[in-house]
Amino acid sequence: MQKVSFRKVKPAVSAIEPTNEIIMHFELPNLLPADQLLALNTKFSTLSLLTSRPETPHPIVLGEQQFSVNEIKVLLPLLRLYPHYCPYEVMLASFNCGSTSEAIVERFRVRLEEARFADVWDYEMRPTRNILSRTRFKLRELGIEVTSILETGYLLIYIPERTPHKV
């Protein structure tokens, strides 16, 4: 049998720009087993957990979730920056502008600093946190959790007691 190989998306830590790829693959070492990966279909906004086994010629879908456009905006930087955390300003830039160029991220960094100084940081982050909450719920079905790092950002972690639901 022919072994199926997956193409790896290398995350860029500084800038995470939108792509024209319809399906993006994410191998997440130390988060998913070596024979599994996530496939994000940007056309249909679905994230699939796939596995490749030597006895099967095609990947097997272990689980799948559909996301809204806004949920994709907060999910994408988490996936692209893994295994690193996603800073608040990157998440906010992606959610509000759909881009994480250095200039936009810097603008949101300043915006968050001003919000912290004015004691309105929670108000500034609330819409993003609301969307992230729905995204977390869907990721949990795939055995992945989003954890918050105090005053820093968000990080993907594995939920050992959860196994993805089969479609």
Side-chain angles (χ1 to χ4, degrees), residues 75-151:
L75 175 62
L76 202 50
L78 288 166
L79 293 172
R80 286 192 164 165
L81 286 174
Y82 182 85
H84 305 288
Y85 71 91
C86 178
Y88 290 129
E89 58 268 19
V90 172
M91 182 70 69
L92 208 57
S94 181
F95 177 68
N96 286 303
C97 298
S99 172
T100 55
S101 70
E102 289 184 35
I104 292 173
V105 169
E106 182 57 33
R107 189 175 86 205
F108 280 96
R109 183 177 295 118
V110 169
R111 186 169 159 178
L112 283 174
E113 287 173 6
E114 290 171 352
R116 189 172 283 128
F117 181 74
D119 203 27
V120 293
W121 190 89
D122 284 334
Y123 177 78
E124 187 71 35
M125 287 297 296
R126 184 173 295 132
T128 306
R129 285 196 326 255
N130 289 342
I131 294 296
L132 187 59
S133 176
R134 294 197 310 247
T135 305
R136 276 183 167 134
F137 179 75
K138 293 175 182 182
L139 284 174
R140 283 182 192 132
E141 293 298 316
L142 300 175
I144 299 171
E145 176 64 88
V146 179
T147 188
S148 179
I149 304 170
L150 184 64
E151 297 184 11

Side-chain angles (χ1 to χ4, degrees), residues 6-11 25-29 37:
F6 299 115
R7 191 171 114 339
K8 185 191 265 188
V9 174
K10 295 201 176 214
H25 295 100
F26 298 93
E27 291 180 3
L28 305 175
L37 79 139

Side-chain angles (χ1 to χ4, degrees), residues 1-7 25-27 32-39 48-63:
M1 289 264 161
Q2 175 186 359
K3 184 176 180 194
V4 177
S5 63
F6 299 115
R7 191 171 114 339
H25 295 100
F26 298 93
E27 291 180 3
L32 298 175
D35 66 341
Q36 293 180 8
L37 79 139
L38 293 173
S48 303
L49 178 62
L50 306 175
T51 186
S52 172
R53 299 203 174 110
E55 65 272 8
T56 61
H58 302 288
I60 299 169
V61 177
L62 298 176

